[in-house]
Amino acid sequence: MDELTALAMSQKEYRQCSLMCFSETWLHQDIPDDNVSITGFQGGGVVRADRDCTESGKRKGGGLAVLVNNRWCSPGHITIKERICCPDIELLAVGLRPYYLPREFSHVVVVAVYIPPSANPTSACDVIHSTIARLQTQHPTAFIAISGDFNHVTMARTLPNFTQYVDCPTREERTLDLLYANVKSQPVTTRTVRRWSEETSEVLQDCFETTDWTALYEPHGEDIDGLTECITDYINFCVDSTVPTRTVKCYPNNKPWVTKDIKALLNKKKRAFRAGDREEVRTTQRELKRTIREAKDRYRKKLEWKLQQNNMREVWSGMRTITGFRSSNNRGVEGSVDRANELNLFFKMCLQRVPVMWKTSCIVPDPVAQ
């Protein structure tokens, strides 16, 4: 702990770290939290799950701990979601509500895991799967991260919707400490937009009025394609010369109804929070809620108008954006031919027990086949 305290005081990477997850802490009930806290992670920022010798069947070792930076999350917004200790796995799930989060996440759930080398991989995966499924049911919009010492266990098949981010050896030449999360890193794109105003429109109009259009179309004669290309290039040249541009960042979590007014209010709220002006924060928050509600209503009316115009492609595109739906490449279930034959035999036996009239009355024709 002395070394970790020194690193947190001297190095920025440790001092500004939001979370620290530890496995095999070897802590027990006789060691108070003050002995394992470091500067900036005191108070309720220390969450422990010491090994239960009775449940684990082992006399010493093990244990989990999560240290939360007080500047990232208030100790009052830290809750313990789950504590599990058994011979195959030790698990600690902690719920956090940081000061700031991306708009699509309600809060953060951090799951610290330690799987002993002698553990049964199937049992350990079942425990993790059941815990994560329960947490996702209770908190469907939470950001969930799973970190710890997995040893010989992998969660690629157990949690296919989670992404593993550790790509370097953590112990000699082996990667035993892993980090899974229910989000995928998406790059921030940039695009160039034009800043139109009344002044630029007047300047562009003056440019077109003083243009000798005869000199542009006379050399082309009857060549419509050449004339169209020439006029288009000239108009683009005038626009590039008179209208200023700006490069903006497009974040993947931006919703279609998020406008520049909403972004301005978000920045205003951040400035008020940093200045410690609580009254301004509350006022800006009320204005932000009203602006978001109005923006969503405008986007809803836009979708309704597209629906009335029978523009189904744009409607479904907007609905997928709103719901966050992402099409996935569905793959067949892996298994042997014997397993498939067993399933076929099972369903065949079930259908043989169903009355004939029920079976014939429930047949639905395939529209594709017709």
Side-chain angles (χ1 to χ4, degrees), residues 84-105:
I84 298 176
C85 183
C86 63
D88 296 316
I89 187 174
E90 296 179 30
L91 184 145
L92 171 64
V94 182
L96 309 108
R97 186 62 177 88
Y99 296 114
Y100 281 104
L101 271 179
R103 289 183 293 271
E104 65 268 29
F105 298 124

Side-chain angles (χ1 to χ4, degrees), residues 294-362:
E294 294 174 353
K296 287 183 177 180
D297 186 63
R298 287 194 298 269
Y299 189 75
R300 177 185 59 81
K301 292 179 179 178
K302 180 180 178 181
L303 286 182
E304 291 176 352
W305 180 82
K306 291 180 179 179
L307 186 62
Q308 293 174 357
Q309 300 296 320
N310 291 328
N311 193 346
M312 301 305 298
R313 180 177 181 180
E314 293 293 334
V315 172
W316 285 114
S317 176
M319 292 299 296
R320 284 194 295 268
T321 303
I322 293 175
T323 58
F325 174 78
R326 295 290 184 274
S327 60
S328 58
N329 296 325
N330 296 325
R331 296 178 299 178
V333 178
E334 297 181 359
S336 61
V337 178
D338 295 336
R339 180 63 173 169
N341 291 332
E342 291 178 2
L343 291 174
N344 290 332
L345 181 60
F346 171 77
F347 287 112
K348 180 180 178 181
M349 294 173 60
C350 292
L351 290 176
Q352 288 176 351
R353 299 175 183 176
V354 179
V356 177
M357 291 187 63
W358 186 90
K359 290 191 292 185
T360 55
S361 61
C362 292

Side-chain angles (χ1 to χ4, degrees), residues 18-173:
S18 301
L19 288 167
M20 294 185 184
C21 298
F22 298 94
S23 60
E24 294 188 90
T25 59
W26 287 56
L27 300 177
H28 50 79
Q29 60 182 0
D30 296 331
I31 301 177
D33 291 345
D34 294 338
N35 289 5
V36 295
S37 62
I38 60 178
T39 304
F41 298 79
Q42 304 98 332
V46 179
V47 185
R48 293 164 47 179
D50 300 341
R51 170 173 285 179
D52 189 331
C53 298
T54 304
E55 298 292 336
S56 64
K58 300 177 181 179
R59 292 180 297 178
K60 60 181 180 179
L64 300 167
V66 176
L67 274 62
V68 183
N69 195 322
N70 301 143
R71 294 187 297 176
W72 180 66
C73 180
S74 171
H77 294 164
I78 302 174
T79 57
I80 298 176
K81 299 294 184 180
E82 194 78 58
R83 270 198 186 109
I84 298 176
C85 183
C86 63
D88 296 316
I89 187 174
E90 296 179 30
L91 184 145
L92 171 64
V94 182
L96 309 108
R97 186 62 177 88
Y99 296 114
Y100 281 104
L101 271 179
R103 289 183 293 271
E104 65 268 29
F105 298 124
S106 59
H107 60 291
V108 176
V109 177
V110 177
V111 182
V113 173
Y114 172 62
I115 301 177
S118 60
N120 184 341
T122 304
S123 301
C125 290
D126 290 342
V127 172
I128 295 177
H129 181 270
S130 59
T131 303
I132 297 301
R134 183 166 56 256
L135 291 173
Q136 287 183 317
T137 302
Q138 297 172 352
H139 313 287
T141 59
F143 167 72
I144 301 178
I146 310 171
S147 177
D149 185 356
F150 287 80
N151 278 306
H152 57 291
V153 178
T154 177
M155 305 301 298
R157 294 180 181 271
T158 306
L159 300 174
N161 294 329
F162 280 65
T163 304
Q164 205 285 116
Y165 287 94
V166 179
D167 56 359
C168 61
T170 58
R171 249 176 271 178
E172 296 180 353
E173 297 181 355

